[in-house]
Amino acid sequence: MSLLARTQKLSDDLYNVVDGRPVRSGVRERLAGGSFDAVHEHHRSVALLVQHGLYGSAFVLLRPMFDGCINGMWLTYLANDGELDRFANNRLTPEPTKVIKRLKKNDIHSSDILHRINQSAWKSMSSYVHGGYLQVVRRNSEEFLGSNYAPAEIEEVLGLANWFALLAAVEITQLSNNPVFFNDVISIAQGYVAAQG
């Protein structure tokens, strides 16, 4: 099975267990849940875009997926009541680097991986989302003007999108406080990892 097919299966499997799932009704849970849920919509979109050869647009979605994970983690584990209120009223946008430092300081899971992604891919993700160098150069070759991505780059966008989707799904289970839901998501994650080889 190709990575695209595994990505589509992962997206479908996660959607089937996550979509419409109740979460606790507090402001923190609702805001964090919204952040993580947007990650899943972007994940489904990445698979569709890659399926249709729209690779540049797929790369653009990595940055909001990363931001959704960062914001969701911040809302879940770090934001105080005043920060929650400011975020809820569109008066605060957390800075990823600062959030990651706080996640690491508090020894929150996945903070090391988020730190590595921030260090190695932030500039690239931003370049794609803002129409920068990487977006432009991937539309040029010596022979033609148009989408020009190597297979390894396509695998990179799918692999990173899949990781963000899995992180978001695990976090949503924590917001629901439902052990069966958590086990369902872990089973999906294990199936994906096993299929990866």
Side-chain angles (χ1 to χ4, degrees):
M1 182 184 301
S2 71
L3 182 54
L4 175 58
R6 290 191 305 273
T7 298
Q8 290 168 322
K9 180 177 178 358
L10 176 63
S11 178
D12 290 342
D13 290 348
L14 290 175
Y15 184 80
N16 287 333
V17 299
V18 172
D19 189 55
R21 183 69 66 157
V23 297
R24 293 174 293 194
S25 61
V27 171
R28 179 180 305 279
E29 291 83 1
R30 290 296 182 176
L31 293 173
S35 292
F36 294 127
D37 190 61
V39 171
H40 283 273
E41 182 173 316
H42 297 323
H43 183 242
R44 291 181 74 73
S45 298
V46 165
L48 286 169
L49 290 164
V50 168
Q51 179 183 7
H52 292 285
L54 302 170
Y55 307 121
S57 296
F59 269 95
V60 166
L61 288 176
L62 288 179
R63 169 73 189 278
M65 290 181 79
F66 176 77
D67 291 344
C69 288
I70 294 294
N71 288 345
M73 298 285 283
W74 174 76
L75 289 160
T76 301
Y77 299 107
L78 301 174
N80 62 38
D81 290 342
E83 290 170 325
L84 283 175
D85 182 61
R86 289 178 23 229
F87 183 87
N89 289 295
N90 199 26
R91 294 192 326 258
L92 175 63
T93 301
E95 295 178 41
T97 302
K98 290 181 180 178
V99 170
I100 292 167
K101 283 181 184 176
R102 287 177 63 191
L103 289 168
K104 285 178 65 99
K105 181 179 176 186
N106 288 287
D107 199 27
I108 305 296
H109 72 87
S110 304
S111 60
D112 286 336
I113 296 170
L114 289 167
H115 174 75
R116 285 194 301 271
I117 292 168
N118 189 49
Q119 291 294 309
S120 65
W122 176 261
K123 287 182 182 179
S124 298
M125 290 186 297
S126 298
S127 181
Y128 280 106
V129 83
H130 295 298
Y133 170 77
L134 289 176
Q135 188 71 272
V136 172
V137 76
R138 295 296 187 269
R139 310 213 61 79
N140 286 274
S141 78
E142 290 184 17
E143 296 85 32
F144 66 89
L145 180 64
S147 184
N148 184 31
Y149 292 83
E153 292 168 319
I154 308 305
E155 289 189 7
E156 179 183 13
V157 73
L158 291 171
L160 195 50
N162 292 342
W163 188 84
F164 290 144
L166 286 166
L167 175 61
V170 168
E171 287 301 317
I172 289 172
T173 69
Q174 301 307 297
L175 298 170
S176 75
N177 201 24
N178 180 332
V180 174
F181 178 29
F182 174 78
N183 290 336
D184 289 344
V185 168
I186 293 302
S187 177
I188 291 166
Q190 290 170 334
Y192 169 74
V193 170
Q196 284 292 95

